[in-house]
Every structure is written in structure tokens, then in C-alpha cells.
């Protein structure tokens, strides 16, 4: 099995190498990068390319590692025992399988996505070390060991919100998705908007990359936000000269809400526009 990108996902050469190395080694692929650079979509496209089922575990701040293995609902069992339900005699009726259990017992080799692992507390990665390394875990309530039929392809994403433990990093194959350069971005746009006017894309990218270079920007616009902006420009049938002959005293681009996502950045651009007007006078 080799991953060479898909029709819907433009993968750089170094990303292809990373994916294929992780698949070969059957090590978890840890993918970092700015939000909006396609980390989550990567796992989805790997599954499509390899015709594999995708099992997604979306991590939240309250997620605990054991939830990925299984959860035992003791409260439900107690309630059923009080009601005289026959189900109480089999404890398996109260065990809910987690995403790792699903991946370990899948009849077809799956892709397991552990999405945004850095959202959980610092102990979360450590609590998964043994299970991801040995590909097995013990269920205390039923006294059974769940072992992976075949080591699943594991993709773990992180937005770098917190550092991951060294012991966890040692067990992963790491890749950082760099922000796309203009050539790669053009290829991504061509996938999503085939036949789009080249001049419109060129001017839009000029503005987009200029915005990303503004000092003091709290949140730089991402690839997904550029695609949203282009979609709006096309939908609103924005004349090309609006982008070509943009007034420098109006620093905020048209439909800027697709690119600027907080009031601090909007105010920053308004100040830049004010300063440009003063210098013009």
C-alpha cells in the first residue's frame, strides 16, 4: 500500500514519504501544523486511497484515555438490577467499546484518526503509550485481553497547543505540514475550483499572503479560509478590478470576514488603513 495523494488532496513529496514510512513501520503518524493545513483531512484521504475504513476519535479537553479503550456503565447495571432486568447477569451488556477497541477488532485494516490530541490533559498521551505500542489492552471487568488483529494505520494530529511527552514522541513517526507555498496553494485551489480565472486567483493570493505577513496578526488566515474567501468572491461575482485596483487606504479586503476571525485583527487593519490615509494626506 502506498499513498500518493488523491484527486481531492494535494500532498507534497515530503508528506507522501512520511505517510508511507509510517504505514511501513506501522508506527503512529504524528502530524503537526497550523490549523487549517489539512491534518484531519489527510487521515480521511489516506483511508480513501487505501480503501480502508476510517475510525475517528475526536479529542476534547475532557476526554480520557480509557474512553478510547472501553467504558463500563456501572450505573446502568445497578438500575437494571433494581428493575430485575435479566441483562445484569452478563456484564458485557454494560461495556461500551471505544475507538481503539473498534480499530483493534476491525475485520478490515482501518485508519484510526486521533484528532487534536493536544486538547486533552498532559497525561492523556502517556496513558495510551502501552496500548499504542503493544496494540493490546486488558478488560478488567470481563478478564479478557483485546489484541489487534493487525496493527491499524494510526494518524494523530496536533495543533501544537501543548508539548507532548518525549516517551510518546519516541513511538511516533513525526511530520510537520509546512504552510503551502504559492505553487502548492495554486495546485490546491485548482483541485477545489477547476477552471477558475487565473488572474483572480493570482490577485487573491497576493492579498492573502500579504495579510499573513502583517506583523502583530493574532490569527493568520489558513488554507481553508482562503478557499472559503475564493468561494465567496465567486459567489458574489466580485469584479476583478476590486482586487486589482484595491485602495491602499482601505486595508481591509472585501469579504474580510472569511479571512480575519477576531476583532483584534480587524482593528489592526483599520489602524493600518488610517495610517495609510494620513500618509496620503
Amino acid at each position: 500500500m502506498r499513498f500518493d495523494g488523491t484527486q481531492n488532496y494535494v500532498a507534497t513529496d515530503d508528506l507522501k514519504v512520511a505517510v508511507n514510512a509510517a504505514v511501513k513501520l506501522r508506527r503512529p503518524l504524528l502530524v503537526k501544523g497550523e490549523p487549517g493545513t489539512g491534518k484531519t483531512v489527510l487521515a480521511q484521504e489516506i483511508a480513501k486511497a487505501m480503501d480502508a475504513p476510517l475510525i475517528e476519535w475526536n479529542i476534547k479537553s475532557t476526554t480520557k484515555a480509557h474512553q478510547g479503550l472501553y467504558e463500563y456503565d456501572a450505573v446502568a447495571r445497578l438500575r437494571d438490577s433494581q428493575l430485575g432486568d435479566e441483562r445484569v447477569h452478563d456484564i458485557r451488556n454494560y461495556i461500551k467499546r471505544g475507538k481503539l477497541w473498534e480499530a483493534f477488532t476491525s475485520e478490515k485494516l482501518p485508519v484510526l484518526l486521533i484528532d487534536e490530541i493536544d486538547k486533552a490533559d498532559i497525561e492523556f498521551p502517556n496513558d495510551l503509550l502501552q496500548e499504542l505500542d503493544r496494540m493490546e489492552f486488558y478488560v478488567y471487568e470481563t478478564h479478557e485481553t483485546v489484541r489487534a488483529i493487525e496493527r491499524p494505520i494510526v494518524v494523530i494530529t496536533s495543533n501544537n497547543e501543548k508539548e507532548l511527552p518525549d516517551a510518546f514522541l519516541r513511538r511516533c513517526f513525526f511530520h510537520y505540514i509546512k504552510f503551502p507555498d504559492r505553487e502548492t496553494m495554486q495546485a490546491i485551489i485548482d483541485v477545489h475550483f477547476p477552471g477558475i480565472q487565473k488572474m483572480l486567483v493570482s490577485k487573491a493570493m497576493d492579498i492573502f499572503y500579504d495579510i499573513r505577513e502583517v506583523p502583530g496578526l493574532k490569527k493568520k488566515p489558513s488554507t481553508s479560509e482562503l478557499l472559503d474567501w475564493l468561494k465567496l468572491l465567486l459567489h458574489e461575482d466580485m469584479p476583478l478590478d476590486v482586487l486589482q485596483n484595491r485602495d491602499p487606504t482601505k486595508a481591509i479586503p472585501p469579504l474580510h470576514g472569511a479571512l480575519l476571525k477576531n476583532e483584534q485583527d480587524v482593528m489592526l487593519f483599520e489602524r493600518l488603513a488610517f495610517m495609510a490615509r494620513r500618509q496620503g494626506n
Side-chain angles (χ1 to χ4, degrees):
M1 294 182 294
R2 285 193 61 80
F3 178 73
D4 293 307
T6 66
Q7 288 184 340
N8 299 319
Y9 191 91
V10 177
T12 57
D13 289 340
D14 57 342
L15 178 56
K16 295 175 190 176
V17 169
V19 171
N20 290 316
V23 171
K24 180 68 175 179
L25 296 172
R26 289 298 165 85
R27 290 278 189 181
L29 174 63
L30 175 61
V31 185
K32 291 187 178 182
E34 287 185 33
T37 49
K39 300 185 296 296
T40 301
V41 178
L42 172 64
Q44 298 166 353
E45 294 301 319
I46 291 173
K48 289 179 185 176
M50 298 186 174
D51 191 26
L54 176 67
I55 299 173
E56 298 187 57
W57 187 14
N58 298 303
I59 307 304
K60 302 177 182 178
S61 59
T62 56
T63 303
K64 302 299 180 184
H66 70 85
Q67 293 173 315
L69 309 179
Y70 69 93
E71 292 183 272
Y72 169 52
D73 194 345
V75 174
R77 193 181 187 200
L78 175 61
R79 183 186 64 241
D80 287 349
S81 69
Q82 293 171 339
L83 297 173
D85 194 318
E86 289 296 320
R87 297 174 72 249
V88 298
H89 300 299
D90 188 353
I91 198 170
R92 288 178 175 81
N93 292 323
Y94 303 94
I95 291 179
K96 179 183 178 183
R97 296 185 177 192
K99 298 298 183 180
L100 266 73
W101 191 329
E102 286 182 35
F104 287 1
T105 57
S106 174
E107 293 182 1
K108 191 174 183 180
L109 177 67
V111 173
L112 171 63
L113 169 62
I114 304 177
D115 200 23
E116 298 189 332
I117 194 171
D118 51 325
K119 279 187 176 180
D121 65 53
I122 192 62
E123 292 304 318
F124 180 90
N126 283 330
D127 291 343
L128 286 178
L129 283 178
Q130 181 170 313
E131 288 75 14
L132 288 175
D133 198 25
R134 298 183 181 180
M135 290 291 166
E136 66 177 40
F137 61 90
Y138 186 70
V139 183
Y140 292 93
E141 289 77 7
T142 60
H143 308 291
E144 65 178 314
T145 299
V146 177
R147 292 187 178 88
I149 298 173
E150 188 175 0
R151 294 181 74 92
I153 299 167
V154 181
V155 179
I156 303 171
T157 71
S158 169
N159 288 327
N160 248 353
E161 291 183 9
K162 62 169 68 82
E163 290 296 321
L164 299 173
D166 288 345
F168 181 81
L169 295 175
R170 280 201 307 272
R171 289 163 169 81
C172 299
F173 192 95
F174 172 76
H175 182 73
Y176 183 86
I177 297 182
K178 299 176 184 176
F179 195 82
D181 57 23
R182 286 186 69 110
E183 183 179 350
T184 305
M185 188 68 80
Q186 179 71 62
I188 293 170
I189 291 170
D190 289 342
V191 166
H192 290 271
F193 302 101
I196 189 172
Q197 187 180 356
K198 297 295 184 183
M199 187 59 71
L200 173 66
V201 172
S202 177
K203 294 302 177 183
M205 283 204 293
D206 286 344
I207 295 171
F208 174 76
Y209 281 103
D210 284 347
I211 290 175
R212 284 184 56 85
E213 292 299 319
V214 172
L217 205 62
K218 184 175 181 181
K219 184 196 176 304
K220 295 181 179 181
S222 67
T223 305
S224 60
E225 287 156 345
L226 172 59
L227 295 176
D228 286 345
W229 189 46
L230 282 171
K231 186 176 182 179
L232 284 173
L233 291 175
L234 291 171
H235 182 265
E236 296 296 329
D237 198 20
M238 189 70 63
L240 181 59
D241 60 1
V242 172
L243 301 182
Q244 283 181 315
N245 305 315
R246 197 161 61 97
D247 186 346
T249 64
K250 298 177 180 178
I252 299 182
L255 301 169
H256 64 272
L259 299 174
L260 304 175
K261 296 302 177 73
N262 58 68
E263 64 276 13
Q264 295 97 318
D265 290 343
V266 173
M267 290 173 65
L268 173 62
F269 273 79
E270 288 176 343
R271 286 197 298 272
L272 291 173
F274 175 73
M275 291 169 62
R277 286 194 296 270
R278 287 192 61 181
Q279 290 173 357
N281 294 333

